[in-house]
Each structure stands twice: as C-alpha cells, then as structure tokens.
Amino acid sequence: MMTNVLIIGATGSLGQVVRQYLLEHTNDKLRLMARDVSSIQNIDPEREQTIQGSVTDQGVLFSAMENIDAVFASLRGDMAKMAQALVDGMNEAGLRRLIFVTSLGIYNEVPEEIDPQGNLKDKPVLRDYRHAADIVESSGLNYVILRPGWFDDGDDTDYQLTSKGEPFVGHDISRKSIADLVMRLTDDPGFGVRQSYGISRKTF
C-alpha cells in the first residue's frame, strides 16, 4: 500500500526523522513543506517533493494538499492560528486524515511524580497547545492528536500509548518511536480515529 503524505514542519527535528523513517519503511510518496526548504538534502525525485511556505498561507497550503492522503503536522509558533489554518485548508481541499503534534500536559494528565510542573495548570505556555488541540478536536476531521514525552535520539521503537482522560505514563520518547506511530497512522486511516494519544517509552 502506498500513501501520499504531506509532512508540514519537514525541517524540524521530528519532521526530519519522520521523513527518513517513512522513506526507509514504506513506499509512501512524501511532500515536504517548511518555511525554508533549502536545508532539505538528498531528495528522492521518485518519491519526494518540496514546497516552501507557511501553513497560514492558504494558497500555498492548498497547493501542498493536492493529491494527498494524510497530513502530518509538527509545528512551532502560534499553534492555535496554525491549527485553524490547517483545519480550514483541509476542509477546503476535501482532505480528512490529520496527525497533529501538540504536547503532553495539555489536559493536566501528567502525574506529579513524573513532572510536578508539567501540566497546563502550572505551565501557561501550554495554553496555546491546548487551544490548538481544541480546534483540531472540534474540526470533524479524521484526526489523531499526539502528545509526546520528552524527545530523545534513541534508536528504539518501544513505546506505549495513553488515551485522553488517562494519566500520562513514562517520561521520554525517541523521535524514531514517534515516527513509527506516524507510519502506522498514515498507512491505516482507520487507526486512532479522533483520538488523542500520549506516547512515551515503555516503562515495563
């Protein structure tokens, strides 16, 4: 099975790993979107395209979504504004499948023993991430929200998921593990429909 995947935030630390993982483990075709694509190297012309621009530029975004099956978005900046632009663009393009990265702690789900200051109630910077998640959750899209633990460069894909309403379990997570989950979600549009998953390295 081949999926056409749009990676928004392709030059970020997570976007780069997701790109490489999909190239190595699938035959998916990738469209790589970032504000500046000049740093993207070793492009496979048979499987990859680049598109430069901001997610808030609806013309660029609409072009990026042409003939796409699934969108993976790992963004930085005004998260709520970008989430709304992304939802609007996907609705306009008739595109349904979205994997959207936010942050752990947006639902006050992090136990105190893991991080006593890791929740929205103690960390105002998470408000924008929560607002973005709320926008995605109310969109009606076939979305999956990811709330990863603290990224590291581990070579493992040994991870566990927690659903919205459950306490977050674990602490760290390898970017490679997130990429593996993204692969599963982009290739199977019936997996994780309208779910919000915490993802962390297995602790048992």
PDB file of all heavy atoms in Angstrom, residues 71-105:
ATOM      1  N   VAL A  71      -2.007  14.050   6.295  1.00  0.00           N
ATOM      2  CA  VAL A  71      -1.162  15.181   6.678  1.00  0.00           C
ATOM      3  C   VAL A  71      -0.570  14.909   8.052  1.00  0.00           C
ATOM      4  O   VAL A  71      -1.294  14.564   8.998  1.00  0.00           O
ATOM      5  CB  VAL A  71      -1.976  16.496   6.722  1.00  0.00           C
ATOM      6  CG1 VAL A  71      -1.111  17.649   7.223  1.00  0.00           C
ATOM      7  CG2 VAL A  71      -2.561  16.816   5.352  1.00  0.00           C
ATOM      8  N   PHE A  72       0.746  15.083   8.159  1.00  0.00           N
ATOM      9  CA  PHE A  72       1.423  15.065   9.451  1.00  0.00           C
ATOM     10  C   PHE A  72       1.952  16.463   9.715  1.00  0.00           C
ATOM     11  O   PHE A  72       2.683  17.020   8.895  1.00  0.00           O
ATOM     12  CB  PHE A  72       2.582  14.065   9.463  1.00  0.00           C
ATOM     13  CG  PHE A  72       3.475  14.202  10.661  1.00  0.00           C
ATOM     14  CD1 PHE A  72       3.032  13.778  11.905  1.00  0.00           C
ATOM     15  CD2 PHE A  72       4.734  14.777  10.564  1.00  0.00           C
ATOM     16  CE1 PHE A  72       3.842  13.923  13.031  1.00  0.00           C
ATOM     17  CE2 PHE A  72       5.551  14.920  11.670  1.00  0.00           C
ATOM     18  CZ  PHE A  72       5.097  14.498  12.911  1.00  0.00           C
ATOM     19  N   ALA A  73       1.584  17.039  10.870  1.00  0.00           N
ATOM     20  CA  ALA A  73       1.968  18.410  11.187  1.00  0.00           C
ATOM     21  C   ALA A  73       2.685  18.468  12.528  1.00  0.00           C
ATOM     22  O   ALA A  73       2.124  18.092  13.561  1.00  0.00           O
ATOM     23  CB  ALA A  73       0.741  19.319  11.213  1.00  0.00           C
ATOM     24  N   SER A  74       3.928  18.932  12.480  1.00  0.00           N
ATOM     25  CA  SER A  74       4.722  19.181  13.684  1.00  0.00           C
ATOM     26  C   SER A  74       5.194  20.621  13.595  1.00  0.00           C
ATOM     27  O   SER A  74       6.150  20.928  12.875  1.00  0.00           O
ATOM     28  CB  SER A  74       5.904  18.205  13.760  1.00  0.00           C
ATOM     29  OG  SER A  74       6.684  18.454  14.904  1.00  0.00           O
ATOM     30  N   LEU A  75       4.525  21.496  14.321  1.00  0.00           N
ATOM     31  CA  LEU A  75       4.640  22.935  14.106  1.00  0.00           C
ATOM     32  C   LEU A  75       5.227  23.645  15.319  1.00  0.00           C
ATOM     33  O   LEU A  75       5.171  23.147  16.445  1.00  0.00           O
ATOM     34  CB  LEU A  75       3.256  23.518  13.794  1.00  0.00           C
ATOM     35  CG  LEU A  75       2.500  22.864  12.636  1.00  0.00           C
ATOM     36  CD1 LEU A  75       1.069  23.395  12.572  1.00  0.00           C
ATOM     37  CD2 LEU A  75       3.217  23.109  11.317  1.00  0.00           C
ATOM     38  N   ARG A  76       5.755  24.840  15.073  1.00  0.00           N
ATOM     39  CA  ARG A  76       6.212  25.727  16.136  1.00  0.00           C
ATOM     40  C   ARG A  76       5.696  27.128  15.838  1.00  0.00           C
ATOM     41  O   ARG A  76       5.633  27.533  14.682  1.00  0.00           O
ATOM     42  CB  ARG A  76       7.745  25.759  16.213  1.00  0.00           C
ATOM     43  CG  ARG A  76       8.371  24.475  16.720  1.00  0.00           C
ATOM     44  CD  ARG A  76       9.865  24.632  16.901  1.00  0.00           C
ATOM     45  NE  ARG A  76      10.532  24.993  15.651  1.00  0.00           N
ATOM     46  CZ  ARG A  76      11.814  25.330  15.558  1.00  0.00           C
ATOM     47  NH1 ARG A  76      12.559  25.384  16.643  1.00  0.00           N
ATOM     48  NH2 ARG A  76      12.352  25.622  14.383  1.00  0.00           N
ATOM     49  N   GLY A  77       5.365  27.864  16.907  1.00  0.00           N
ATOM     50  CA  GLY A  77       4.884  29.230  16.721  1.00  0.00           C
ATOM     51  C   GLY A  77       3.499  29.396  17.302  1.00  0.00           C
ATOM     52  O   GLY A  77       3.189  28.847  18.365  1.00  0.00           O
ATOM     53  N   ASP A  78       2.665  30.157  16.614  1.00  0.00           N
ATOM     54  CA  ASP A  78       1.293  30.398  17.056  1.00  0.00           C
ATOM     55  C   ASP A  78       0.464  29.154  16.723  1.00  0.00           C
ATOM     56  O   ASP A  78      -0.136  29.051  15.658  1.00  0.00           O
ATOM     57  CB  ASP A  78       0.740  31.638  16.354  1.00  0.00           C
ATOM     58  CG  ASP A  78      -0.607  32.075  16.901  1.00  0.00           C
ATOM     59  OD1 ASP A  78      -1.339  31.230  17.465  1.00  0.00           O
ATOM     60  OD2 ASP A  78      -0.940  33.268  16.759  1.00  0.00           O
ATOM     61  N   MET A  79       0.446  28.214  17.650  1.00  0.00           N
ATOM     62  CA  MET A  79      -0.144  26.905  17.384  1.00  0.00           C
ATOM     63  C   MET A  79      -1.622  26.984  17.045  1.00  0.00           C
ATOM     64  O   MET A  79      -2.099  26.310  16.133  1.00  0.00           O
ATOM     65  CB  MET A  79       0.082  25.995  18.585  1.00  0.00           C
ATOM     66  CG  MET A  79       1.526  25.628  18.841  1.00  0.00           C
ATOM     67  SD  MET A  79       2.208  24.551  17.553  1.00  0.00           S
ATOM     68  CE  MET A  79       1.293  23.035  17.861  1.00  0.00           C
ATOM     69  N   ALA A  80      -2.372  27.793  17.778  1.00  0.00           N
ATOM     70  CA  ALA A  80      -3.811  27.878  17.538  1.00  0.00           C
ATOM     71  C   ALA A  80      -4.102  28.463  16.160  1.00  0.00           C
ATOM     72  O   ALA A  80      -4.961  27.961  15.425  1.00  0.00           O
ATOM     73  CB  ALA A  80      -4.480  28.709  18.626  1.00  0.00           C
ATOM     74  N   LYS A  81      -3.375  29.518  15.811  1.00  0.00           N
ATOM     75  CA  LYS A  81      -3.573  30.132  14.490  1.00  0.00           C
ATOM     76  C   LYS A  81      -3.253  29.140  13.385  1.00  0.00           C
ATOM     77  O   LYS A  81      -3.995  29.017  12.395  1.00  0.00           O
ATOM     78  CB  LYS A  81      -2.691  31.371  14.363  1.00  0.00           C
ATOM     79  CG  LYS A  81      -2.833  32.100  13.035  1.00  0.00           C
ATOM     80  CD  LYS A  81      -1.944  33.340  13.001  1.00  0.00           C
ATOM     81  CE  LYS A  81      -2.078  34.077  11.668  1.00  0.00           C
ATOM     82  NZ  LYS A  81      -1.207  35.286  11.622  1.00  0.00           N
ATOM     83  N   MET A  82      -2.165  28.404  13.549  1.00  0.00           N
ATOM     84  CA  MET A  82      -1.778  27.430  12.530  1.00  0.00           C
ATOM     85  C   MET A  82      -2.750  26.258  12.478  1.00  0.00           C
ATOM     86  O   MET A  82      -3.061  25.752  11.393  1.00  0.00           O
ATOM     87  CB  MET A  82      -0.351  26.963  12.771  1.00  0.00           C
ATOM     88  CG  MET A  82       0.686  28.048  12.503  1.00  0.00           C
ATOM     89  SD  MET A  82       2.407  27.464  12.596  1.00  0.00           S
ATOM     90  CE  MET A  82       2.569  27.252  14.368  1.00  0.00           C
ATOM     91  N   ALA A  83      -3.234  25.823  13.630  1.00  0.00           N
ATOM     92  CA  ALA A  83      -4.207  24.731  13.650  1.00  0.00           C
ATOM     93  C   ALA A  83      -5.476  25.124  12.913  1.00  0.00           C
ATOM     94  O   ALA A  83      -6.027  24.327  12.134  1.00  0.00           O
ATOM     95  CB  ALA A  83      -4.528  24.328  15.087  1.00  0.00           C
ATOM     96  N   GLN A  84      -5.949  26.345  13.139  1.00  0.00           N
ATOM     97  CA  GLN A  84      -7.166  26.796  12.460  1.00  0.00           C
ATOM     98  C   GLN A  84      -6.941  26.886  10.954  1.00  0.00           C
ATOM     99  O   GLN A  84      -7.803  26.471  10.164  1.00  0.00           O
ATOM    100  CB  GLN A  84      -7.601  28.145  13.005  1.00  0.00           C
ATOM    101  CG  GLN A  84      -8.974  28.580  12.499  1.00  0.00           C
ATOM    102  CD  GLN A  84     -10.077  27.627  12.943  1.00  0.00           C
ATOM    103  OE1 GLN A  84     -10.336  27.498  14.135  1.00  0.00           O
ATOM    104  NE2 GLN A  84     -10.725  26.962  11.986  1.00  0.00           N
ATOM    105  N   ALA A  85      -5.775  27.408  10.545  1.00  0.00           N
ATOM    106  CA  ALA A  85      -5.467  27.488   9.116  1.00  0.00           C
ATOM    107  C   ALA A  85      -5.397  26.102   8.491  1.00  0.00           C
ATOM    108  O   ALA A  85      -5.868  25.890   7.360  1.00  0.00           O
ATOM    109  CB  ALA A  85      -4.144  28.236   8.924  1.00  0.00           C
ATOM    110  N   LEU A  86      -4.824  25.167   9.213  1.00  0.00           N
ATOM    111  CA  LEU A  86      -4.701  23.798   8.709  1.00  0.00           C
ATOM    112  C   LEU A  86      -6.071  23.141   8.569  1.00  0.00           C
ATOM    113  O   LEU A  86      -6.368  22.506   7.543  1.00  0.00           O
ATOM    114  CB  LEU A  86      -3.815  23.009   9.659  1.00  0.00           C
ATOM    115  CG  LEU A  86      -3.388  21.598   9.269  1.00  0.00           C
ATOM    116  CD1 LEU A  86      -2.786  21.570   7.877  1.00  0.00           C
ATOM    117  CD2 LEU A  86      -2.406  21.062  10.296  1.00  0.00           C
ATOM    118  N   VAL A  87      -6.905  23.278   9.582  1.00  0.00           N
ATOM    119  CA  VAL A  87      -8.263  22.719   9.520  1.00  0.00           C
ATOM    120  C   VAL A  87      -9.044  23.337   8.368  1.00  0.00           C
ATOM    121  O   VAL A  87      -9.700  22.624   7.585  1.00  0.00           O
ATOM    122  CB  VAL A  87      -8.984  22.937  10.863  1.00  0.00           C
ATOM    123  CG1 VAL A  87     -10.486  22.658  10.725  1.00  0.00           C
ATOM    124  CG2 VAL A  87      -8.382  22.054  11.948  1.00  0.00           C
ATOM    125  N   ASP A  88      -8.975  24.664   8.234  1.00  0.00           N
ATOM    126  CA  ASP A  88      -9.688  25.338   7.140  1.00  0.00           C
ATOM    127  C   ASP A  88      -9.188  24.853   5.781  1.00  0.00           C
ATOM    128  O   ASP A  88      -9.983  24.596   4.866  1.00  0.00           O
ATOM    129  CB  ASP A  88      -9.510  26.853   7.246  1.00  0.00           C
ATOM    130  CG  ASP A  88     -10.228  27.451   8.441  1.00  0.00           C
ATOM    131  OD1 ASP A  88     -11.099  26.764   9.026  1.00  0.00           O
ATOM    132  OD2 ASP A  88      -9.909  28.608   8.801  1.00  0.00           O
ATOM    133  N   GLY A  89      -7.865  24.717   5.658  1.00  0.00           N
ATOM    134  CA  GLY A  89      -7.294  24.276   4.392  1.00  0.00           C
ATOM    135  C   GLY A  89      -7.685  22.853   4.045  1.00  0.00           C
ATOM    136  O   GLY A  89      -7.973  22.535   2.884  1.00  0.00           O
ATOM    137  N   MET A  90      -7.691  21.984   5.044  1.00  0.00           N
ATOM    138  CA  MET A  90      -8.073  20.596   4.795  1.00  0.00           C
ATOM    139  C   MET A  90      -9.539  20.495   4.413  1.00  0.00           C
ATOM    140  O   MET A  90      -9.900  19.726   3.516  1.00  0.00           O
ATOM    141  CB  MET A  90      -7.766  19.743   6.020  1.00  0.00           C
ATOM    142  CG  MET A  90      -6.277  19.562   6.253  1.00  0.00           C
ATOM    143  SD  MET A  90      -5.857  18.447   7.622  1.00  0.00           S
ATOM    144  CE  MET A  90      -6.412  16.867   6.962  1.00  0.00           C
ATOM    145  N   ASN A  91     -10.387  21.265   5.060  1.00  0.00           N
ATOM    146  CA  ASN A  91     -11.807  21.257   4.694  1.00  0.00           C
ATOM    147  C   ASN A  91     -12.005  21.748   3.266  1.00  0.00           C
ATOM    148  O   ASN A  91     -12.800  21.186   2.500  1.00  0.00           O
ATOM    149  CB  ASN A  91     -12.603  22.112   5.674  1.00  0.00           C
ATOM    150  CG  ASN A  91     -12.864  21.398   6.985  1.00  0.00           C
ATOM    151  OD1 ASN A  91     -13.031  20.180   7.022  1.00  0.00           O
ATOM    152  ND2 ASN A  91     -12.897  22.136   8.079  1.00  0.00           N
ATOM    153  N   GLU A  92     -11.262  22.790   2.899  1.00  0.00           N
ATOM    154  CA  GLU A  92     -11.375  23.322   1.544  1.00  0.00           C
ATOM    155  C   GLU A  92     -10.890  22.307   0.519  1.00  0.00           C
ATOM    156  O   GLU A  92     -11.474  22.155  -0.565  1.00  0.00           O
ATOM    157  CB  GLU A  92     -10.572  24.618   1.405  1.00  0.00           C
ATOM    158  CG  GLU A  92     -10.694  25.267   0.040  1.00  0.00           C
ATOM    159  CD  GLU A  92      -9.906  26.557  -0.079  1.00  0.00           C
ATOM    160  OE1 GLU A  92      -9.352  27.021   0.932  1.00  0.00           O
ATOM    161  OE2 GLU A  92      -9.843  27.096  -1.199  1.00  0.00           O
ATOM    162  N   ALA A  93      -9.838  21.575   0.865  1.00  0.00           N
ATOM    163  CA  ALA A  93      -9.264  20.595  -0.071  1.00  0.00           C
ATOM    164  C   ALA A  93      -9.997  19.265  -0.055  1.00  0.00           C
ATOM    165  O   ALA A  93      -9.718  18.400  -0.884  1.00  0.00           O
ATOM    166  CB  ALA A  93      -7.790  20.369   0.279  1.00  0.00           C
ATOM    167  N   GLY A  94     -10.935  19.088   0.885  1.00  0.00           N
ATOM    168  CA  GLY A  94     -11.640  17.816   0.998  1.00  0.00           C
ATOM    169  C   GLY A  94     -10.773  16.714   1.554  1.00  0.00           C
ATOM    170  O   GLY A  94     -10.999  15.528   1.285  1.00  0.00           O
ATOM    171  N   LEU A  95      -9.774  17.078   2.341  1.00  0.00           N
ATOM    172  CA  LEU A  95      -8.819  16.127   2.913  1.00  0.00           C
ATOM    173  C   LEU A  95      -9.209  15.854   4.360  1.00  0.00           C
ATOM    174  O   LEU A  95      -9.544  16.773   5.109  1.00  0.00           O
ATOM    175  CB  LEU A  95      -7.421  16.723   2.830  1.00  0.00           C
ATOM    176  CG  LEU A  95      -6.215  15.893   3.242  1.00  0.00           C
ATOM    177  CD1 LEU A  95      -6.182  14.568   2.498  1.00  0.00           C
ATOM    178  CD2 LEU A  95      -4.937  16.682   2.949  1.00  0.00           C
ATOM    179  N   ARG A  96      -9.124  14.579   4.800  1.00  0.00           N
ATOM    180  CA  ARG A  96      -9.695  14.222   6.091  1.00  0.00           C
ATOM    181  C   ARG A  96      -8.676  13.789   7.149  1.00  0.00           C
ATOM    182  O   ARG A  96      -8.866  14.041   8.327  1.00  0.00           O
ATOM    183  CB  ARG A  96     -10.700  13.064   5.921  1.00  0.00           C
ATOM    184  CG  ARG A  96     -11.765  13.296   4.877  1.00  0.00           C
ATOM    185  CD  ARG A  96     -12.563  14.554   5.126  1.00  0.00           C
ATOM    186  NE  ARG A  96     -13.282  14.515   6.400  1.00  0.00           N
ATOM    187  CZ  ARG A  96     -13.837  15.586   6.984  1.00  0.00           C
ATOM    188  NH1 ARG A  96     -13.730  16.766   6.431  1.00  0.00           N
ATOM    189  NH2 ARG A  96     -14.481  15.450   8.119  1.00  0.00           N
ATOM    190  N   ARG A  97      -7.588  13.137   6.770  1.00  0.00           N
ATOM    191  CA  ARG A  97      -6.708  12.489   7.737  1.00  0.00           C
ATOM    192  C   ARG A  97      -5.586  13.436   8.187  1.00  0.00           C
ATOM    193  O   ARG A  97      -4.756  13.865   7.393  1.00  0.00           O
ATOM    194  CB  ARG A  97      -6.100  11.234   7.126  1.00  0.00           C
ATOM    195  CG  ARG A  97      -5.234  10.391   8.084  1.00  0.00           C
ATOM    196  CD  ARG A  97      -6.008   9.867   9.275  1.00  0.00           C
ATOM    197  NE  ARG A  97      -5.357   8.714   9.898  1.00  0.00           N
ATOM    198  CZ  ARG A  97      -5.746   8.158  11.032  1.00  0.00           C
ATOM    199  NH1 ARG A  97      -6.781   8.661  11.700  1.00  0.00           N
ATOM    200  NH2 ARG A  97      -5.118   7.097  11.519  1.00  0.00           N
ATOM    201  N   LEU A  98      -5.548  13.728   9.492  1.00  0.00           N
ATOM    202  CA  LEU A  98      -4.579  14.652  10.075  1.00  0.00           C
ATOM    203  C   LEU A  98      -3.953  14.029  11.308  1.00  0.00           C
ATOM    204  O   LEU A  98      -4.654  13.582  12.215  1.00  0.00           O
ATOM    205  CB  LEU A  98      -5.270  15.961  10.459  1.00  0.00           C
ATOM    206  CG  LEU A  98      -4.437  16.963  11.279  1.00  0.00           C
ATOM    207  CD1 LEU A  98      -3.229  17.451  10.482  1.00  0.00           C
ATOM    208  CD2 LEU A  98      -5.309  18.143  11.703  1.00  0.00           C
ATOM    209  N   ILE A  99      -2.621  14.018  11.359  1.00  0.00           N
ATOM    210  CA  ILE A  99      -1.875  13.655  12.558  1.00  0.00           C
ATOM    211  C   ILE A  99      -1.198  14.922  13.039  1.00  0.00           C
ATOM    212  O   ILE A  99      -0.353  15.500  12.325  1.00  0.00           O
ATOM    213  CB  ILE A  99      -0.842  12.538  12.279  1.00  0.00           C
ATOM    214  CG1 ILE A  99      -1.550  11.257  11.828  1.00  0.00           C
ATOM    215  CG2 ILE A  99      -0.025  12.247  13.528  1.00  0.00           C
ATOM    216  CD1 ILE A  99      -1.619  11.086  10.342  1.00  0.00           C
ATOM    217  N   PHE A 100      -1.555  15.383  14.218  1.00  0.00           N
ATOM    218  CA  PHE A 100      -1.178  16.718  14.702  1.00  0.00           C
ATOM    219  C   PHE A 100      -0.457  16.593  16.039  1.00  0.00           C
ATOM    220  O   PHE A 100      -0.999  16.031  16.990  1.00  0.00           O
ATOM    221  CB  PHE A 100      -2.431  17.573  14.859  1.00  0.00           C
ATOM    222  CG  PHE A 100      -2.180  19.027  15.123  1.00  0.00           C
ATOM    223  CD1 PHE A 100      -1.976  19.915  14.086  1.00  0.00           C
ATOM    224  CD2 PHE A 100      -2.160  19.513  16.429  1.00  0.00           C
ATOM    225  CE1 PHE A 100      -1.747  21.268  14.331  1.00  0.00           C
ATOM    226  CE2 PHE A 100      -1.933  20.851  16.684  1.00  0.00           C
ATOM    227  CZ  PHE A 100      -1.724  21.736  15.631  1.00  0.00           C
ATOM    228  N   VAL A 101       0.756  17.125  16.109  1.00  0.00           N
ATOM    229  CA  VAL A 101       1.575  17.025  17.313  1.00  0.00           C
ATOM    230  C   VAL A 101       1.336  18.236  18.213  1.00  0.00           C
ATOM    231  O   VAL A 101       1.438  19.387  17.760  1.00  0.00           O
ATOM    232  CB  VAL A 101       3.072  16.927  16.963  1.00  0.00           C
ATOM    233  CG1 VAL A 101       3.915  16.842  18.236  1.00  0.00           C
ATOM    234  CG2 VAL A 101       3.335  15.727  16.070  1.00  0.00           C
ATOM    235  N   THR A 102       1.019  17.961  19.483  1.00  0.00           N
ATOM    236  CA  THR A 102       0.901  19.041  20.470  1.00  0.00           C
ATOM    237  C   THR A 102       1.924  18.792  21.574  1.00  0.00           C
ATOM    238  O   THR A 102       3.106  18.703  21.313  1.00  0.00           O
ATOM    239  CB  THR A 102      -0.529  19.148  21.022  1.00  0.00           C
ATOM    240  OG1 THR A 102      -0.906  17.895  21.631  1.00  0.00           O
ATOM    241  CG2 THR A 102      -1.514  19.503  19.936  1.00  0.00           C
ATOM    242  N   SER A 103       1.478  18.684  22.813  1.00  0.00           N
ATOM    243  CA  SER A 103       2.404  18.492  23.931  1.00  0.00           C
ATOM    244  C   SER A 103       1.712  17.705  25.025  1.00  0.00           C
ATOM    245  O   SER A 103       0.496  17.802  25.205  1.00  0.00           O
ATOM    246  CB  SER A 103       2.849  19.853  24.481  1.00  0.00           C
ATOM    247  OG  SER A 103       3.603  19.694  25.668  1.00  0.00           O
ATOM    248  N   LEU A 104       2.507  16.958  25.771  1.00  0.00           N
ATOM    249  CA  LEU A 104       1.954  16.371  26.986  1.00  0.00           C
ATOM    250  C   LEU A 104       1.619  17.495  27.956  1.00  0.00           C
ATOM    251  O   LEU A 104       2.174  18.594  27.894  1.00  0.00           O
ATOM    252  CB  LEU A 104       2.926  15.387  27.618  1.00  0.00           C
ATOM    253  CG  LEU A 104       4.091  15.910  28.471  1.00  0.00           C
ATOM    254  CD1 LEU A 104       4.728  14.761  29.244  1.00  0.00           C
ATOM    255  CD2 LEU A 104       5.142  16.605  27.626  1.00  0.00           C
ATOM    256  N   GLY A 105       0.672  17.227  28.846  1.00  0.00           N
ATOM    257  CA  GLY A 105       0.303  18.190  29.871  1.00  0.00           C
ATOM    258  C   GLY A 105      -0.872  19.084  29.539  1.00  0.00           C
ATOM    259  O   GLY A 105      -1.368  19.804  30.404  1.00  0.00           O
TER     260      GLY A 105
END
